[in-house]
Amino acid sequence: FNKEALARIMLMENLNLTAGIKELSVTKTGALRIDWTNDHQSHYEAEWLKQRAFTEEAKHKRHSTYRLPKRQWSSDHKIAKLDYSFVLEKDEGLLQLLIELEITGAVLLQNTPSDPTAAFNICNKVAKVKYTHYGELSNVIVVPNPNNVAFTGAALNLHNDIVQYHDMPGMIFLHMIKQHTGEGGETTLSDGLYAAEQMREIHPELFHLLTTTPVYFWDIGEADPADNTRVKDFYKISKEPTIKLDISGAVTHIRFNNQIRDSFLDLAVDQVDDFYKALKTYFELIHANSIGFKMTDGDMTVVDNVRCQHGRTGFTGPSSPRHLVTTYLAWDEALCKRRRLQQKCSRNQ
Amino acid sequence: FNKEALARIMLMENLNLTAGIKELSVTKTGALRIDWTNDHQSHYEAEWLKQRAFTEEAKHKRHSTYRLPKRQWSSDHKIAKLDYSFVLEKDEGLLQLLIELEITGAVLLQNTPSDPTAAFNICNKVAKVKYTHYGELSNVIVVPNPNNVAFTGAALNLHNDIVQYHDMPGMIFLHMIKQHTGEGGETTLSDGLYAAEQMREIHPELFHLLTTTPVYFWDIGEADPADNTRVKDFYKISKEPTIKLDISGAVTHIRFNNQIRDSFLDLAVDQVDDFYKALKTYFELIHANSIGFKMTDGDMTVVDNVRCQHGRTGFTGPSSPRHLVTTYLAWDEALCKRRRLQQKCSRNQ
């Protein structure tokens, strides 16, 4: 083991799986010394061994450094609110944002400046934004009578973003620079994990279908040639189940996005009806358990994008433009920063 | 469906799963027209329907756009060689690199300029480098008598890189700016997919262990405060099996890195021996089936990092510094570019 690089340097070919213990002793400093039958010698400090014990307690401690426990919610949930400057300027603020996102999957930041880089600046405190072919941040400008269909005022069903990537962005920042002043344009949010667990309990066969049926998502197109922040042309395809489980059966990623679900179905024809029934049942659960609120100028909704779905109601009121900026961040970087800030903030206490 | 955004706009609540067909007819242009019992009307062009038929042929066609078939290899493999300028400057060159990486997982680029951004410049033709806390590119400088242990001349066992991330970099670019002039420092490469399939066949119980045993990897540290290209401090932990399978049982990610495998084991104590036996058996397979070659100045080895392992032999010869640059790219972006270049190059033929 190399103490400066904190990395194991013994080569695997030299790992002896059958060496036995020749002698056990305790050193002057209280460490355990083992003389092995192959003449190798090891020293283990007591604290080091205790931390790595094969007890539930030691395992739980490691796991809680790795990941905080998630708290599920339904339509009576009140989203946590934090002040933008507190998050941007104070370690405690950024830590609160990251912990809340890990536990509940959604936070509302308030009093955000109208600069389109406001979310980008928070991401930069963590590591760097998660890059997609849409660039580092994306302006979504909606007018009630658009000449570009990408910016229509249609309702958007609850969905996860960028599901056409295998490496989906872990978090999405939805920064409302200028809200639509008429009716509609409300943000909807749902805890897709809660809906998945409901489905596992109430409709186990349909849940099984969503965890085992591969779904293609696709995204093909060209960016405005004058826009140097985006990739000029793209053709993304992903193929993953709607609900992805890890080896222990826990939900790790939810990919629900009816807007960009591919029209190619990699199913036998007699599986199609059941697959659509499963998709629609899941949608009904996330819809029934969702919360809704209208963001005002300077609000920024931050969402765990591999867990929660977001959407918006359609615009029905009189004409006024709406300007939203979306920015993404990866969970690997956010978890890393949470662990570092926890160390730092507990040292400062 | 919105033809400009190429996205489905029908809301899920309006999806009627029980509507039947009232009338089938063929339009003047040859499209199929369906009048549904709920008064909805659909038009389907014949070509569109044919592409989406539930036949093996139609499914295969979609799948081969999504992913090219992989060709496994062992110790008699000759790595494909391409000229750096051809890849950087010509669409056909970049397409050849991406196709070869998808099929065999390894390419050697030759005549690369000594600029540390040489790999970065190729990645920028695709999309953007895959960001990690090590920055956008990383200089690895090895001297035989180092004052910094990160730069020792020790042998490195075959490994996948950045396994402490859940979103591992899909590809690694290893650019040899200045090779060590003495003995040693040979690059080793192995097709981890071939070894995994060998293991599935010969040692099914050990293969099962590697696909179902969670392994923690960790990386904690601080960057040089003067280096603004890296994250100042980091604390990454991932928890994934060594060999990750998709829902069809195909290998999607291999995480083998004995250097940064965590010393915490999330196992019952009576599972530990078998787990180490499985790890060591897999190592012996990748080691036995590996190829080795010494990169010369201007060589750049590009590797599918979620499939193949790379390593190097130790430095045993007289003193001389070695300068390698590593850069990463994501598979989502590379597959996207391969599809676009295939369209473009077939149009130009």
Side-chain angles (χ1 to χ4, degrees):
Chain A
F1 194 82
N2 183 311
K3 286 205 174 176
E4 288 192 50
L6 294 175
R8 192 178 285 112
I9 48 174
M10 191 183 75
L11 296 179
M12 200 93 193
E13 52 264 42
N14 301 328
L15 174 65
N16 185 330
L17 298 177
T18 54
I21 293 171
K22 194 159 59 188
E23 199 181 329
L24 276 178
S25 52
V26 176
T27 67
K28 279 183 205 165
T29 62
L32 177 70
R33 170 178 158 167
I34 301 183
D35 288 282
W36 300 91
T37 51
N38 62 345
D39 292 333
H40 187 71
Q41 201 185 82
S42 303
H43 286 83
Y44 303 102
E45 298 295 331
E47 187 54 33
W48 189 94
L49 281 173
K50 206 179 139 196
Q51 285 168 0
R52 285 156 186 79
F54 288 89
T55 59
E56 285 312 306
E57 192 191 339
K59 282 182 202 168
H60 175 75
K61 204 164 172 192
R62 186 57 173 171
H63 191 269
S64 61
T65 305
Y66 164 56
R67 258 304 204 179
L68 302 176
K70 291 173 185 174
R71 197 166 63 233
Q72 295 173 29
W73 50 268
S74 181
S75 52
D76 57 354
H77 179 63
K78 300 276 173 273
I79 190 171
K81 293 173 185 176
L82 287 169
D83 187 76
Y84 175 84
S85 312
F86 178 53
V87 171
L88 185 72
E89 289 157 22
K90 301 283 183 195
D91 283 342
E92 294 76 14
L94 185 55
L95 181 57
Q96 277 188 34
L97 172 73
L98 296 174
I99 288 177
E100 186 67 30
L101 278 168
E102 223 177 311
I103 294 175
T104 70
V107 176
L108 183 66
L109 299 185
Q110 296 177 308
N111 307 311
T112 309
S114 60
D115 186 338
T117 66
F120 181 89
N121 295 339
I122 287 184
C123 293
N124 264 356
K125 301 284 282 188
V126 174
K128 220 168 195 186
V129 300
K130 156 77 179 173
Y131 173 76
T132 73
H133 58 250
Y134 292 115
E136 297 192 317
L137 51 90
S138 195
N139 287 286
V140 183
I141 298 171
V142 173
V143 291
N145 300 303
N147 56 9
N148 181 327
V149 285
F151 303 137
T152 67
L156 288 178
N157 262 168
L158 285 161
H159 63 281
N160 303 98
D161 246 43
I162 314 282
V163 293
Q164 66 272 39
Y165 274 65
H166 290 91
D167 293 344
M168 286 170 70
M171 267 157 278
I172 175 165
F173 291 70
L174 300 157
H175 175 200
M176 186 59 71
I177 291 186
K178 189 75 204 151
Q179 179 60 287
H180 172 72
T181 51
E183 293 286 305
E186 283 203 3
T187 296
T188 53
L189 278 186
S190 187
D191 182 2
L193 176 63
Y194 174 77
E197 295 302 341
Q198 287 278 304
M199 196 148 168
R200 193 194 311 244
E201 202 183 309
I202 308 170
H203 307 286
E205 311 79 19
L206 296 180
F207 178 78
H208 180 71
L209 268 186
L210 289 191
T211 61
T212 54
T213 307
V215 184
Y216 280 128
F217 292 98
W218 76 313
D219 188 16
I220 186 165
E222 284 169 30
D224 176 354
D227 185 349
N228 283 318
T229 66
R230 295 165 184 235
V231 174
K232 295 298 169 217
D233 55 14
F234 50 87
Y235 189 174
K236 292 287 187 312
I237 308 177
S238 73
K239 190 184 181 187
E240 293 281 359
T242 305
I243 300 175
K244 198 169 179 176
L245 304 180
D246 69 12
I247 43 182
S248 74
V251 173
T252 64
H253 292 77
I254 302 175
R255 276 186 172 76
F256 185 87
N257 189 320
N258 202 48
Q259 288 93 289
I260 60 161
R261 188 166 48 74
D262 204 328
S263 52
F264 289 86
L265 277 173
D266 193 6
L267 295 175
V269 70
D270 61 1
Q271 298 170 318
V272 173
D273 280 355
D274 285 344
F275 170 65
Y276 272 102
K277 190 177 162 196
L279 272 190
K280 181 144 181 160
T281 302
Y282 184 68
F283 171 75
E284 283 162 0
L285 281 168
I286 57 176
H287 189 65
N289 294 300
S290 64
I291 58 172
F293 54 93
K294 188 156 179 175
M295 282 201 273
T296 58
D297 299 357
D299 278 355
M300 189 192 293
T301 306
V302 194
V303 185
D304 178 347
N305 184 53
V306 298
R307 165 180 173 179
C308 296
Q309 289 84 22
H310 66 280
R312 66 148 196 251
T313 62
F315 301 96
T316 51
S319 173
S320 100
R322 180 194 202 240
H323 185 183
L324 183 80
V325 177
T326 62
T327 310
Y328 301 114
L329 185 64
W331 265 120
D332 278 312
E333 305 299 351
L335 293 173
C336 172
K337 191 69 180 181
R338 187 263 296 160
R339 292 178 201 118
R340 272 301 194 176
L341 287 175
Q342 278 182 324
Q343 289 180 322
K344 191 175 171 187
C345 292
S346 70
R347 270 199 305 272
N348 292 348
Q349 267 168 10
Chain B
F1 194 81
N2 183 310
K3 286 205 175 177
E4 288 192 51
L6 294 175
R8 193 178 284 111
I9 49 174
M10 191 183 74
L11 297 179
M12 200 92 191
E13 53 263 43
N14 301 328
L15 174 65
N16 185 330
L17 297 178
T18 55
I21 293 170
K22 194 158 61 187
E23 200 179 329
L24 276 179
S25 53
V26 175
T27 67
K28 279 184 205 165
T29 61
L32 177 70
R33 172 179 156 163
I34 302 183
D35 289 281
W36 300 91
T37 51
N38 64 343
D39 291 336
H40 187 72
Q41 202 184 82
S42 303
H43 286 85
Y44 303 102
E45 298 296 331
E47 188 54 32
W48 190 94
L49 282 173
K50 206 178 139 197
Q51 285 169 358
R52 285 157 185 79
F54 289 88
T55 59
E56 285 312 306
E57 192 192 341
K59 282 180 204 170
H60 175 76
K61 204 163 173 192
R62 184 58 172 171
H63 191 269
S64 60
T65 306
Y66 163 56
R67 258 302 203 181
L68 302 176
K70 291 173 185 173
R71 197 167 61 233
Q72 295 172 29
W73 50 268
S74 182
S75 53
D76 57 354
H77 179 63
K78 300 277 173 273
I79 191 170
K81 293 173 185 177
L82 287 170
D83 187 76
Y84 176 84
S85 313
F86 177 53
V87 170
L88 185 73
E89 288 157 22
K90 302 282 183 194
D91 284 341
E92 294 75 15
L94 185 55
L95 182 57
Q96 277 188 33
L97 172 72
L98 296 174
I99 287 177
E100 186 66 30
L101 279 169
E102 223 177 312
I103 294 175
T104 69
V107 177
L108 182 66
L109 298 185
Q110 296 176 308
N111 307 312
T112 310
S114 61
D115 186 338
T117 65
F120 182 89
N121 295 338
I122 287 184
C123 293
N124 266 356
K125 301 285 282 189
V126 174
K128 222 171 193 183
V129 301
K130 156 75 179 175
Y131 173 77
T132 73
H133 59 252
Y134 292 116
E136 297 192 318
L137 52 89
S138 196
N139 287 286
V140 183
I141 298 170
V142 173
V143 291
N145 299 302
N147 55 10
N148 181 329
V149 286
F151 303 138
T152 68
L156 289 177
N157 262 168
L158 286 161
H159 63 280
N160 303 98
D161 246 43
I162 314 282
V163 293
Q164 66 271 39
Y165 274 66
H166 289 91
D167 292 344
M168 284 171 72
M171 265 156 281
I172 175 165
F173 291 69
L174 299 157
H175 174 198
M176 187 59 71
I177 291 186
K178 189 74 201 150
Q179 179 60 286
H180 172 72
T181 50
E183 292 286 304
E186 283 202 4
T187 296
T188 53
L189 276 185
S190 187
D191 183 1
L193 176 63
Y194 175 77
E197 295 302 341
Q198 288 278 303
M199 196 149 168
R200 191 193 315 244
E201 203 182 310
I202 307 171
H203 306 287
E205 312 79 20
L206 297 179
F207 178 78
H208 180 71
L209 267 186
L210 290 191
T211 60
T212 54
T213 306
V215 184
Y216 280 128
F217 293 97
W218 75 313
D219 190 15
I220 187 165
E222 285 169 30
D224 177 354
D227 185 346
N228 283 317
T229 65
R230 295 164 184 236
V231 174
K232 295 297 169 217
D233 56 16
F234 50 87
Y235 190 174
K236 292 287 186 315
I237 308 176
S238 72
K239 191 185 181 187
E240 294 281 359
T242 305
I243 299 176
K244 199 168 179 177
L245 305 180
D246 70 12
I247 44 182
S248 75
V251 173
T252 64
H253 292 77
I254 302 177
R255 275 185 173 76
F256 185 87
N257 189 319
N258 202 49
Q259 289 92 291
I260 60 161
R261 189 166 48 75
D262 204 329
S263 51
F264 289 88
L265 276 174
D266 193 7
L267 295 176
V269 70
D270 61 0
Q271 298 170 321
V272 173
D273 279 355
D274 284 344
F275 170 65
Y276 271 103
K277 190 178 163 196
L279 272 190
K280 180 141 182 162
T281 302
Y282 184 68
F283 171 76
E284 284 163 359
L285 281 169
I286 57 175
H287 189 66
N289 294 300
S290 64
I291 58 172
F293 54 94
K294 188 157 179 176
M295 281 201 273
T296 57
D297 299 357
D299 278 356
M300 189 192 294
T301 306
V302 195
V303 185
D304 177 347
N305 184 52
V306 299
R307 166 179 171 179
C308 295
Q309 289 84 23
H310 66 279
R312 67 150 196 252
T313 61
F315 301 96
T316 51
S319 173
S320 100
R322 180 194 201 239
H323 185 182
L324 183 80
V325 177
T326 61
T327 310
Y328 302 115
L329 184 65
W331 265 120
D332 278 312
E333 305 299 351
L335 293 173
C336 171
K337 190 70 181 181
R338 187 263 298 159
R339 292 178 200 118
R340 273 300 194 174
L341 286 175
Q342 277 181 324
Q343 289 180 323
K344 193 176 170 186
C345 293
S346 70
R347 270 198 307 270
N348 292 348
Q349 268 167 8

